[in-house]
Amino acid sequence: MSTALITGASGGIGYELALEHVRRGGDVILVARREEKLREYKAKWESTYGVNVHVIGMDLAQRGSAQELHDAVSAKGLTVDILINNAGFGQYGLFEESDLDRAMQMLELNIVTLTALTRLFVVDMVRRRSGRIMNVASTASFQPVPLMTLYAATKAFVLSFSEALNNEVSDRGVTVTALCPGPTTSGFQDVAAMHEARMVDRRLMATSADVARFGYDAMMRGKPVAVHGLLNRITTFLVRLTPRSIILYIGRMIAEKR
Ligand SMILES: NC(=O)c1ccc[n+]([C@@H]2O[C@H](COP(=O)([O-])OP(=O)(O)OC[C@H]3O[C@@H](n4cnc5c(N)ncnc54)[C@H](OP(=O)(O)O)[C@@H]3O)[C@@H](O)[C@H]2O)c1
């Protein structure tokens, strides 16, 4: 059975993606800063599912962390068949008022580390002519989002990067899937301090488990872009046909506080 490396596996969508894989009997390499949580899952999953769970506690917003992670995986003699770049966070509010250090950390985690990990692992996959990569993007990848200005821009990068890379490598047995969830219940809203935003409406939000199940299946089928939920699929389609000024107006409206 294959080995999947999942970043941001200590909670939310990443935790559920890891669970999808171990339920199918696959081994996992779990990466996040909260190592104690990952160790809890290791103890539980190894006894419940009879799989191997490797734990690597690491801050992936640090420059050079992707190389460090690739080295740590090689040192353990592991082969990564599936790479899931899930770790990421958002910042809510006016860009001019954002904490600059935190904004730079977001660029590092959501863009730089994701890119470097993909570059490091895709080479091994292409050489083996086999591999799956999932990059967790967002419905925010499809249009600019005022009040989540920089976050949406990082996710636009992830979608563009993933689609083009999939085109480059899919003829050699490797696929790249951009998973695009809409608002989903997880630790994301706490971290981004955005509970008052109109778009955070628990009645309309998906669960991390639903998003993960959908995304995992799409990745295994080699789907290049996987938008979760019918309403999200309709809106991301309509965005392509609607003038940018209207999209920005609507985006601002749903991003504002209630
Ligand atoms: N929830 C949504 O509404 C939504 C919608 C669209 C896209 N997404 C995307 O989905 C992905 C997963 O987010 P989520 O919703 O599951 O949020 P979450 O519950 O906050 O989970 C984020 C995960 O990333 C890890 N992480 C954060 N900073 C890290 C760092 N510096 N180094 C290593 N790991 C780090 C966290 O672990 P530690 O804190 O233990 O490090 C945690 O496991 C993100 O890329 C997010 O942008 C979320």
mmCIF file of all heavy atoms in Angstrom, residues 127-177:
data_model
loop_
_atom_site.group_PDB
_atom_site.id
_atom_site.type_symbol
_atom_site.label_atom_id
_atom_site.label_comp_id
_atom_site.label_asym_id
_atom_site.label_seq_id
_atom_site.Cartn_x
_atom_site.Cartn_y
_atom_site.Cartn_z
ATOM 1 N N ARG A 127 10.433 10.248 -11.869
ATOM 2 C CA ARG A 127 11.439 9.197 -12.090
ATOM 3 C C ARG A 127 10.787 7.810 -11.969
ATOM 4 O O ARG A 127 11.066 6.922 -12.759
ATOM 5 C CB ARG A 127 12.582 9.347 -11.075
ATOM 6 C CG ARG A 127 13.838 8.591 -11.455
ATOM 7 C CD ARG A 127 14.964 8.806 -10.456
ATOM 8 N NE ARG A 127 15.397 10.178 -10.346
ATOM 9 C CZ ARG A 127 15.452 10.881 -9.205
ATOM 10 N NH1 ARG A 127 15.110 10.333 -8.061
ATOM 11 N NH2 ARG A 127 15.852 12.133 -9.196
ATOM 12 N N ARG A 128 9.881 7.672 -10.992
ATOM 13 C CA ARG A 128 9.199 6.377 -10.789
ATOM 14 C C ARG A 128 8.001 6.208 -11.724
ATOM 15 O O ARG A 128 7.372 5.167 -11.756
ATOM 16 C CB ARG A 128 8.684 6.270 -9.341
ATOM 17 C CG ARG A 128 9.751 6.201 -8.284
ATOM 18 C CD ARG A 128 9.159 5.723 -6.963
ATOM 19 N NE ARG A 128 8.011 6.509 -6.535
ATOM 20 C CZ ARG A 128 8.067 7.597 -5.764
ATOM 21 N NH1 ARG A 128 9.233 8.030 -5.329
ATOM 22 N NH2 ARG A 128 6.986 8.248 -5.429
ATOM 23 N N ARG A 129 7.666 7.304 -12.427
ATOM 24 C CA ARG A 129 6.500 7.331 -13.322
ATOM 25 C C ARG A 129 5.210 6.985 -12.575
ATOM 26 O O ARG A 129 4.313 6.321 -13.101
ATOM 27 C CB ARG A 129 6.694 6.396 -14.534
ATOM 28 C CG ARG A 129 7.777 6.912 -15.451
ATOM 29 C CD ARG A 129 7.774 6.240 -16.795
ATOM 30 N NE ARG A 129 8.366 7.135 -17.795
ATOM 31 C CZ ARG A 129 7.677 7.838 -18.680
ATOM 32 N NH1 ARG A 129 6.373 7.763 -18.731
ATOM 33 N NH2 ARG A 129 8.301 8.629 -19.543
ATOM 34 N N SER A 130 5.143 7.488 -11.351
ATOM 35 C CA SER A 130 3.945 7.234 -10.544
ATOM 36 C C SER A 130 3.907 8.190 -9.361
ATOM 37 O O SER A 130 4.927 8.419 -8.704
ATOM 38 C CB SER A 130 3.986 5.773 -10.088
ATOM 39 O OG SER A 130 3.475 5.600 -8.824
ATOM 40 N N GLY A 131 2.739 8.747 -9.112
ATOM 41 C CA GLY A 131 2.605 9.613 -7.940
ATOM 42 C C GLY A 131 1.373 10.488 -8.030
ATOM 43 O O GLY A 131 0.844 10.749 -9.115
ATOM 44 N N ARG A 132 0.895 10.896 -6.861
ATOM 45 C CA ARG A 132 -0.256 11.803 -6.787
ATOM 46 C C ARG A 132 0.149 12.982 -5.909
ATOM 47 O O ARG A 132 0.736 12.790 -4.838
ATOM 48 C CB ARG A 132 -1.438 11.119 -6.109
ATOM 49 C CG ARG A 132 -1.844 9.822 -6.760
ATOM 50 C CD ARG A 132 -3.075 10.033 -7.618
ATOM 51 N NE ARG A 132 -3.514 8.818 -8.244
ATOM 52 C CZ ARG A 132 -3.643 8.654 -9.551
ATOM 53 N NH1 ARG A 132 -3.349 9.624 -10.385
ATOM 54 N NH2 ARG A 132 -4.083 7.524 -10.042
ATOM 55 N N ILE A 133 -0.206 14.161 -6.368
ATOM 56 C CA ILE A 133 0.006 15.361 -5.554
ATOM 57 C C ILE A 133 -1.346 16.056 -5.405
ATOM 58 O O ILE A 133 -2.090 16.194 -6.392
ATOM 59 C CB ILE A 133 1.021 16.319 -6.220
ATOM 60 C CG1 ILE A 133 2.398 15.641 -6.344
ATOM 61 C CG2 ILE A 133 1.143 17.632 -5.434
ATOM 62 C CD1 ILE A 133 3.443 16.442 -7.105
ATOM 63 N N MET A 134 -1.658 16.459 -4.172
ATOM 64 C CA MET A 134 -2.824 17.312 -3.971
ATOM 65 C C MET A 134 -2.359 18.612 -3.330
ATOM 66 O O MET A 134 -1.643 18.586 -2.325
ATOM 67 C CB MET A 134 -3.868 16.665 -3.048
ATOM 68 C CG MET A 134 -5.036 17.609 -2.781
ATOM 69 S SD MET A 134 -6.007 17.171 -1.341
ATOM 70 C CE MET A 134 -6.836 15.733 -1.942
ATOM 71 N N ASN A 135 -2.742 19.728 -3.929
ATOM 72 C CA ASN A 135 -2.488 21.023 -3.319
ATOM 73 C C ASN A 135 -3.833 21.610 -2.898
ATOM 74 O O ASN A 135 -4.749 21.726 -3.730
ATOM 75 C CB ASN A 135 -1.796 21.965 -4.308
ATOM 76 C CG ASN A 135 -0.371 21.503 -4.610
ATOM 77 O OD1 ASN A 135 0.298 20.927 -3.740
ATOM 78 N ND2 ASN A 135 0.093 21.737 -5.821
ATOM 79 N N VAL A 136 -3.953 21.957 -1.629
ATOM 80 C CA VAL A 136 -5.242 22.479 -1.173
ATOM 81 C C VAL A 136 -5.314 23.973 -1.504
ATOM 82 O O VAL A 136 -4.566 24.794 -0.954
ATOM 83 C CB VAL A 136 -5.491 22.203 0.321
ATOM 84 C CG1 VAL A 136 -6.848 22.760 0.736
ATOM 85 C CG2 VAL A 136 -5.445 20.696 0.590
ATOM 86 N N ALA A 137 -6.180 24.280 -2.465
ATOM 87 C CA ALA A 137 -6.430 25.670 -2.882
ATOM 88 C C ALA A 137 -7.704 26.114 -2.179
ATOM 89 O O ALA A 137 -7.848 25.872 -0.965
ATOM 90 C CB ALA A 137 -6.544 25.729 -4.397
ATOM 91 N N SER A 138 -8.645 26.722 -2.887
ATOM 92 C CA SER A 138 -9.854 27.251 -2.246
ATOM 93 C C SER A 138 -10.798 27.751 -3.340
ATOM 94 O O SER A 138 -10.366 27.995 -4.475
ATOM 95 C CB SER A 138 -9.452 28.429 -1.352
ATOM 96 O OG SER A 138 -10.590 29.125 -0.887
ATOM 97 N N THR A 139 -12.069 27.969 -2.977
ATOM 98 C CA THR A 139 -12.937 28.682 -3.924
ATOM 99 C C THR A 139 -12.444 30.128 -4.062
ATOM 100 O O THR A 139 -12.736 30.789 -5.050
ATOM 101 C CB THR A 139 -14.409 28.661 -3.464
ATOM 102 O OG1 THR A 139 -14.469 29.034 -2.086
ATOM 103 C CG2 THR A 139 -15.043 27.298 -3.644
ATOM 104 N N ALA A 140 -11.654 30.599 -3.078
ATOM 105 C CA ALA A 140 -11.060 31.947 -3.164
ATOM 106 C C ALA A 140 -9.966 32.021 -4.230
ATOM 107 O O ALA A 140 -9.455 33.100 -4.522
ATOM 108 C CB ALA A 140 -10.484 32.350 -1.804
ATOM 109 N N SER A 141 -9.609 30.869 -4.827
ATOM 110 C CA SER A 141 -8.587 30.849 -5.886
ATOM 111 C C SER A 141 -9.106 31.472 -7.180
ATOM 112 O O SER A 141 -8.325 31.837 -8.052
ATOM 113 C CB SER A 141 -8.196 29.404 -6.209
ATOM 114 O OG SER A 141 -7.709 28.738 -5.093
ATOM 115 N N PHE A 142 -10.452 31.529 -7.309
ATOM 116 C CA PHE A 142 -11.035 31.882 -8.605
ATOM 117 C C PHE A 142 -11.274 33.373 -8.799
ATOM 118 O O PHE A 142 -11.583 33.812 -9.895
ATOM 119 C CB PHE A 142 -12.356 31.121 -8.786
ATOM 120 C CG PHE A 142 -12.166 29.637 -8.898
ATOM 121 C CD1 PHE A 142 -12.048 28.844 -7.767
ATOM 122 C CD2 PHE A 142 -12.063 29.029 -10.144
ATOM 123 C CE1 PHE A 142 -11.853 27.466 -7.859
ATOM 124 C CE2 PHE A 142 -11.865 27.652 -10.249
ATOM 125 C CZ PHE A 142 -11.764 26.879 -9.099
ATOM 126 N N GLN A 143 -11.193 34.144 -7.712
ATOM 127 C CA GLN A 143 -11.435 35.591 -7.834
ATOM 128 C C GLN A 143 -10.764 36.311 -6.674
ATOM 129 O O GLN A 143 -10.486 35.704 -5.641
ATOM 130 C CB GLN A 143 -12.931 35.903 -7.815
ATOM 131 C CG GLN A 143 -13.624 35.739 -6.452
ATOM 132 C CD GLN A 143 -13.929 34.298 -6.109
ATOM 133 O OE1 GLN A 143 -14.626 33.638 -6.855
ATOM 134 N NE2 GLN A 143 -13.402 33.818 -4.997
ATOM 135 N N PRO A 144 -10.504 37.627 -6.846
ATOM 136 C CA PRO A 144 -9.968 38.380 -5.715
ATOM 137 C C PRO A 144 -11.027 38.481 -4.618
ATOM 138 O O PRO A 144 -12.217 38.550 -4.931
ATOM 139 C CB PRO A 144 -9.664 39.773 -6.290
ATOM 140 C CG PRO A 144 -10.098 39.776 -7.706
ATOM 141 C CD PRO A 144 -10.740 38.466 -8.036
ATOM 142 N N VAL A 145 -10.582 38.473 -3.354
ATOM 143 C CA VAL A 145 -11.527 38.592 -2.236
ATOM 144 C C VAL A 145 -11.078 39.724 -1.311
ATOM 145 O O VAL A 145 -10.130 39.557 -0.548
ATOM 146 C CB VAL A 145 -11.630 37.270 -1.429
ATOM 147 C CG1 VAL A 145 -12.672 37.399 -0.313
ATOM 148 C CG2 VAL A 145 -11.971 36.087 -2.342
ATOM 149 N N PRO A 146 -11.743 40.901 -1.387
ATOM 150 C CA PRO A 146 -11.411 41.988 -0.466
ATOM 151 C C PRO A 146 -11.567 41.512 0.978
ATOM 152 O O PRO A 146 -12.427 40.677 1.273
ATOM 153 C CB PRO A 146 -12.450 43.074 -0.794
ATOM 154 C CG PRO A 146 -12.906 42.761 -2.181
ATOM 155 C CD PRO A 146 -12.826 41.277 -2.324
ATOM 156 N N LEU A 147 -10.755 42.024 1.863
ATOM 157 C CA LEU A 147 -10.694 41.665 3.292
ATOM 158 C C LEU A 147 -10.028 40.306 3.528
ATOM 159 O O LEU A 147 -9.763 39.936 4.662
ATOM 160 C CB LEU A 147 -12.069 41.714 3.982
ATOM 161 C CG LEU A 147 -12.803 43.063 3.900
ATOM 162 C CD1 LEU A 147 -14.148 42.996 4.637
ATOM 163 C CD2 LEU A 147 -11.959 44.189 4.462
ATOM 164 N N MET A 148 -9.800 39.546 2.452
ATOM 165 C CA MET A 148 -8.926 38.362 2.527
ATOM 166 C C MET A 148 -7.975 38.455 1.335
ATOM 167 O O MET A 148 -7.675 37.465 0.657
ATOM 168 C CB MET A 148 -9.723 37.068 2.494
ATOM 169 C CG MET A 148 -10.643 36.929 3.680
ATOM 170 S SD MET A 148 -11.100 35.234 4.028
ATOM 171 C CE MET A 148 -9.699 34.625 4.937
ATOM 172 N N THR A 149 -7.549 39.683 1.106
ATOM 173 C CA THR A 149 -6.825 40.063 -0.110
ATOM 174 C C THR A 149 -5.621 39.175 -0.392
ATOM 175 O O THR A 149 -5.496 38.590 -1.471
ATOM 176 C CB THR A 149 -6.366 41.526 0.062
ATOM 177 O OG1 THR A 149 -7.536 42.297 0.288
ATOM 178 C CG2 THR A 149 -5.637 42.058 -1.138
ATOM 179 N N LEU A 150 -4.741 39.072 0.598
ATOM 180 C CA LEU A 150 -3.497 38.327 0.378
ATOM 181 C C LEU A 150 -3.765 36.823 0.375
ATOM 182 O O LEU A 150 -3.193 36.095 -0.445
ATOM 183 C CB LEU A 150 -2.468 38.694 1.462
ATOM 184 C CG LEU A 150 -1.079 38.091 1.278
ATOM 185 C CD1 LEU A 150 -0.457 38.506 -0.046
ATOM 186 C CD2 LEU A 150 -0.169 38.487 2.446
ATOM 187 N N TYR A 151 -4.632 36.374 1.275
ATOM 188 C CA TYR A 151 -4.959 34.938 1.329
ATOM 189 C C TYR A 151 -5.498 34.464 -0.017
ATOM 190 O O TYR A 151 -5.053 33.444 -0.555
ATOM 191 C CB TYR A 151 -5.974 34.664 2.439
ATOM 192 C CG TYR A 151 -6.486 33.242 2.421
ATOM 193 C CD1 TYR A 151 -5.668 32.191 2.838
ATOM 194 C CD2 TYR A 151 -7.770 32.932 1.969
ATOM 195 C CE1 TYR A 151 -6.119 30.875 2.811
ATOM 196 C CE2 TYR A 151 -8.231 31.619 1.939
ATOM 197 C CZ TYR A 151 -7.405 30.603 2.358
ATOM 198 O OH TYR A 151 -7.847 29.299 2.312
ATOM 199 N N ALA A 152 -6.466 35.194 -0.571
ATOM 200 C CA ALA A 152 -7.063 34.784 -1.848
ATOM 201 C C ALA A 152 -5.998 34.776 -2.950
ATOM 202 O O ALA A 152 -6.006 33.903 -3.818
ATOM 203 C CB ALA A 152 -8.212 35.719 -2.222
ATOM 204 N N ALA A 153 -5.068 35.722 -2.874
ATOM 205 C CA ALA A 153 -3.990 35.762 -3.880
ATOM 206 C C ALA A 153 -3.084 34.531 -3.747
ATOM 207 O O ALA A 153 -2.632 33.966 -4.750
ATOM 208 C CB ALA A 153 -3.184 37.052 -3.750
ATOM 209 N N THR A 154 -2.830 34.097 -2.506
ATOM 210 C CA THR A 154 -1.992 32.887 -2.348
ATOM 211 C C THR A 154 -2.710 31.677 -2.949
ATOM 212 O O THR A 154 -2.081 30.813 -3.546
ATOM 213 C CB THR A 154 -1.638 32.569 -0.858
ATOM 214 O OG1 THR A 154 -2.801 32.147 -0.134
ATOM 215 C CG2 THR A 154 -0.974 33.731 -0.156
ATOM 216 N N LYS A 155 -4.025 31.639 -2.793
ATOM 217 C CA LYS A 155 -4.771 30.483 -3.298
ATOM 218 C C LYS A 155 -4.933 30.538 -4.819
ATOM 219 O O LYS A 155 -5.060 29.505 -5.476
ATOM 220 C CB LYS A 155 -6.119 30.374 -2.580
ATOM 221 C CG LYS A 155 -5.969 30.042 -1.101
ATOM 222 C CD LYS A 155 -5.263 28.705 -0.873
ATOM 223 C CE LYS A 155 -5.088 28.346 0.576
ATOM 224 N NZ LYS A 155 -4.404 27.052 0.784
ATOM 225 N N ALA A 156 -4.946 31.758 -5.387
ATOM 226 C CA ALA A 156 -4.945 31.888 -6.855
ATOM 227 C C ALA A 156 -3.643 31.299 -7.399
ATOM 228 O O ALA A 156 -3.621 30.603 -8.425
ATOM 229 C CB ALA A 156 -5.085 33.351 -7.256
ATOM 230 N N PHE A 157 -2.552 31.558 -6.681
ATOM 231 C CA PHE A 157 -1.256 30.973 -7.059
ATOM 232 C C PHE A 157 -1.348 29.443 -7.060
ATOM 233 O O PHE A 157 -0.923 28.781 -8.010
ATOM 234 C CB PHE A 157 -0.155 31.428 -6.081
ATOM 235 C CG PHE A 157 1.150 30.712 -6.294
ATOM 236 C CD1 PHE A 157 2.124 31.227 -7.136
ATOM 237 C CD2 PHE A 157 1.401 29.500 -5.663
ATOM 238 C CE1 PHE A 157 3.318 30.537 -7.357
ATOM 239 C CE2 PHE A 157 2.581 28.805 -5.869
ATOM 240 C CZ PHE A 157 3.537 29.328 -6.716
ATOM 241 N N VAL A 158 -1.896 28.892 -5.980
ATOM 242 C CA VAL A 158 -1.934 27.429 -5.830
ATOM 243 C C VAL A 158 -2.709 26.789 -6.982
ATOM 244 O O VAL A 158 -2.274 25.789 -7.560
ATOM 245 C CB VAL A 158 -2.549 27.020 -4.462
ATOM 246 C CG1 VAL A 158 -2.721 25.505 -4.366
ATOM 247 C CG2 VAL A 158 -1.684 27.521 -3.307
ATOM 248 N N LEU A 159 -3.834 27.391 -7.358
ATOM 249 C CA LEU A 159 -4.643 26.832 -8.448
ATOM 250 C C LEU A 159 -3.894 26.905 -9.782
ATOM 251 O O LEU A 159 -3.793 25.913 -10.515
ATOM 252 C CB LEU A 159 -5.984 27.583 -8.545
ATOM 253 C CG LEU A 159 -6.913 27.154 -9.679
ATOM 254 C CD1 LEU A 159 -7.324 25.688 -9.550
ATOM 255 C CD2 LEU A 159 -8.157 28.046 -9.723
ATOM 256 N N SER A 160 -3.343 28.069 -10.085
ATOM 257 C CA SER A 160 -2.640 28.264 -11.351
ATOM 258 C C SER A 160 -1.438 27.320 -11.460
ATOM 259 O O SER A 160 -1.234 26.622 -12.462
ATOM 260 C CB SER A 160 -2.192 29.730 -11.438
ATOM 261 O OG SER A 160 -1.287 29.912 -12.487
ATOM 262 N N PHE A 161 -0.652 27.271 -10.381
ATOM 263 C CA PHE A 161 0.540 26.420 -10.316
ATOM 264 C C PHE A 161 0.163 24.944 -10.501
ATOM 265 O O PHE A 161 0.787 24.219 -11.283
ATOM 266 C CB PHE A 161 1.208 26.658 -8.951
ATOM 267 C CG PHE A 161 2.329 25.725 -8.618
ATOM 268 C CD1 PHE A 161 3.517 25.759 -9.327
ATOM 269 C CD2 PHE A 161 2.204 24.817 -7.560
ATOM 270 C CE1 PHE A 161 4.560 24.895 -9.003
ATOM 271 C CE2 PHE A 161 3.231 23.960 -7.232
ATOM 272 C CZ PHE A 161 4.414 23.994 -7.954
ATOM 273 N N SER A 162 -0.873 24.512 -9.819
ATOM 274 C CA SER A 162 -1.246 23.093 -9.834
ATOM 275 C C SER A 162 -1.759 22.669 -11.214
ATOM 276 O O SER A 162 -1.400 21.598 -11.713
ATOM 277 C CB SER A 162 -2.331 22.818 -8.783
ATOM 278 O OG SER A 162 -1.894 23.232 -7.513
ATOM 279 N N GLU A 163 -2.595 23.519 -11.820
ATOM 280 C CA GLU A 163 -3.159 23.152 -13.129
ATOM 281 C C GLU A 163 -2.071 23.039 -14.187
ATOM 282 O O GLU A 163 -2.056 22.109 -14.987
ATOM 283 C CB GLU A 163 -4.172 24.214 -13.586
ATOM 284 C CG GLU A 163 -5.519 24.106 -12.915
ATOM 285 C CD GLU A 163 -6.561 24.992 -13.608
ATOM 286 O OE1 GLU A 163 -6.616 26.195 -13.284
ATOM 287 O OE2 GLU A 163 -7.293 24.481 -14.473
ATOM 288 N N ALA A 164 -1.138 24.004 -14.181
ATOM 289 C CA ALA A 164 -0.078 23.992 -15.192
ATOM 290 C C ALA A 164 0.866 22.811 -14.962
ATOM 291 O O ALA A 164 1.270 22.124 -15.909
ATOM 292 C CB ALA A 164 0.691 25.312 -15.169
ATOM 293 N N LEU A 165 1.196 22.547 -13.694
ATOM 294 C CA LEU A 165 2.102 21.432 -13.402
ATOM 295 C C LEU A 165 1.458 20.100 -13.782
ATOM 296 O O LEU A 165 2.127 19.208 -14.314
ATOM 297 C CB LEU A 165 2.486 21.440 -11.908
ATOM 298 C CG LEU A 165 3.446 20.336 -11.485
ATOM 299 C CD1 LEU A 165 4.787 20.437 -12.231
ATOM 300 C CD2 LEU A 165 3.693 20.379 -9.975
ATOM 301 N N ASN A 166 0.161 19.974 -13.536
ATOM 302 C CA ASN A 166 -0.530 18.735 -13.914
ATOM 303 C C ASN A 166 -0.385 18.498 -15.416
ATOM 304 O O ASN A 166 -0.139 17.376 -15.859
ATOM 305 C CB ASN A 166 -2.004 18.807 -13.521
ATOM 306 C CG ASN A 166 -2.721 17.513 -13.857
ATOM 307 O OD1 ASN A 166 -2.428 16.471 -13.301
ATOM 308 N ND2 ASN A 166 -3.627 17.574 -14.819
ATOM 309 N N ASN A 167 -0.507 19.582 -16.181
ATOM 310 C CA ASN A 167 -0.347 19.464 -17.634
ATOM 311 C C ASN A 167 1.057 18.965 -17.993
ATOM 312 O O ASN A 167 1.238 18.168 -18.910
ATOM 313 C CB ASN A 167 -0.635 20.821 -18.290
ATOM 314 C CG ASN A 167 -0.379 20.793 -19.772
ATOM 315 O OD1 ASN A 167 0.756 20.966 -20.216
ATOM 316 N ND2 ASN A 167 -1.421 20.533 -20.538
ATOM 317 N N GLU A 168 2.078 19.435 -17.243
ATOM 318 C CA GLU A 168 3.463 19.041 -17.546
ATOM 319 C C GLU A 168 3.759 17.573 -17.231
ATOM 320 O O GLU A 168 4.526 16.937 -17.929
ATOM 321 C CB GLU A 168 4.450 19.902 -16.729
ATOM 322 C CG GLU A 168 4.577 21.332 -17.207
ATOM 323 C CD GLU A 168 5.613 22.124 -16.407
ATOM 324 O OE1 GLU A 168 6.356 21.531 -15.590
ATOM 325 O OE2 GLU A 168 5.675 23.331 -16.583
ATOM 326 N N VAL A 169 3.177 17.068 -16.131
ATOM 327 C CA VAL A 169 3.618 15.746 -15.656
ATOM 328 C C VAL A 169 2.637 14.600 -15.882
ATOM 329 O O VAL A 169 3.010 13.440 -15.731
ATOM 330 C CB VAL A 169 3.984 15.790 -14.138
ATOM 331 C CG1 VAL A 169 5.160 16.710 -13.887
ATOM 332 C CG2 VAL A 169 2.776 16.187 -13.275
ATOM 333 N N SER A 170 1.379 14.925 -16.255
ATOM 334 C CA SER A 170 0.370 13.850 -16.262
ATOM 335 C C SER A 170 0.639 12.803 -17.345
ATOM 336 O O SER A 170 0.141 11.677 -17.236
ATOM 337 C CB SER A 170 -1.044 14.429 -16.395
ATOM 338 O OG SER A 170 -1.142 15.162 -17.573
ATOM 339 N N ASP A 171 1.436 13.129 -18.363
ATOM 340 C CA ASP A 171 1.753 12.108 -19.367
ATOM 341 C C ASP A 171 2.850 11.163 -18.874
ATOM 342 O O ASP A 171 3.231 10.234 -19.568
ATOM 343 C CB ASP A 171 2.168 12.763 -20.692
ATOM 344 C CG ASP A 171 3.402 13.640 -20.559
ATOM 345 O OD1 ASP A 171 3.783 13.963 -19.400
ATOM 346 O OD2 ASP A 171 4.000 14.002 -21.585
ATOM 347 N N ARG A 172 3.365 11.434 -17.644
ATOM 348 C CA ARG A 172 4.412 10.549 -17.105
ATOM 349 C C ARG A 172 3.984 9.917 -15.773
ATOM 350 O O ARG A 172 4.794 9.681 -14.886
ATOM 351 C CB ARG A 172 5.721 11.337 -16.963
ATOM 352 C CG ARG A 172 6.404 11.513 -18.332
ATOM 353 C CD ARG A 172 7.511 12.502 -18.311
ATOM 354 N NE ARG A 172 7.005 13.850 -18.113
ATOM 355 C CZ ARG A 172 7.685 14.825 -17.512
ATOM 356 N NH1 ARG A 172 8.887 14.604 -17.066
ATOM 357 N NH2 ARG A 172 7.133 16.021 -17.367
ATOM 358 N N GLY A 173 2.700 9.667 -15.656
ATOM 359 C CA GLY A 173 2.199 8.883 -14.523
ATOM 360 C C GLY A 173 2.001 9.644 -13.227
ATOM 361 O O GLY A 173 1.713 9.046 -12.197
ATOM 362 N N VAL A 174 2.156 10.965 -13.262
ATOM 363 C CA VAL A 174 1.986 11.759 -12.038
ATOM 364 C C VAL A 174 0.820 12.721 -12.251
ATOM 365 O O VAL A 174 0.729 13.353 -13.305
ATOM 366 C CB VAL A 174 3.275 12.553 -11.706
ATOM 367 C CG1 VAL A 174 3.111 13.347 -10.416
ATOM 368 C CG2 VAL A 174 4.485 11.626 -11.613
ATOM 369 N N THR A 175 -0.062 12.833 -11.271
ATOM 370 C CA THR A 175 -1.156 13.792 -11.399
ATOM 371 C C THR A 175 -1.112 14.805 -10.262
ATOM 372 O O THR A 175 -0.626 14.513 -9.165
ATOM 373 C CB THR A 175 -2.534 13.084 -11.383
ATOM 374 O OG1 THR A 175 -2.687 12.382 -10.152
ATOM 375 C CG2 THR A 175 -2.683 12.124 -12.549
ATOM 376 N N VAL A 176 -1.593 16.001 -10.566
ATOM 377 C CA VAL A 176 -1.654 17.079 -9.569
ATOM 378 C C VAL A 176 -3.108 17.552 -9.487
ATOM 379 O O VAL A 176 -3.694 17.917 -10.511
ATOM 380 C CB VAL A 176 -0.749 18.269 -9.960
ATOM 381 C CG1 VAL A 176 -0.749 19.339 -8.866
ATOM 382 C CG2 VAL A 176 0.680 17.800 -10.245
ATOM 383 N N THR A 177 -3.656 17.525 -8.286
ATOM 384 C CA THR A 177 -5.044 17.930 -8.073
ATOM 385 C C THR A 177 -5.087 19.175 -7.197
ATOM 386 O O THR A 177 -4.479 19.190 -6.123
ATOM 387 C CB THR A 177 -5.823 16.795 -7.356
ATOM 388 O OG1 THR A 177 -5.824 15.656 -8.197
ATOM 389 C CG2 THR A 177 -7.261 17.214 -7.043
#
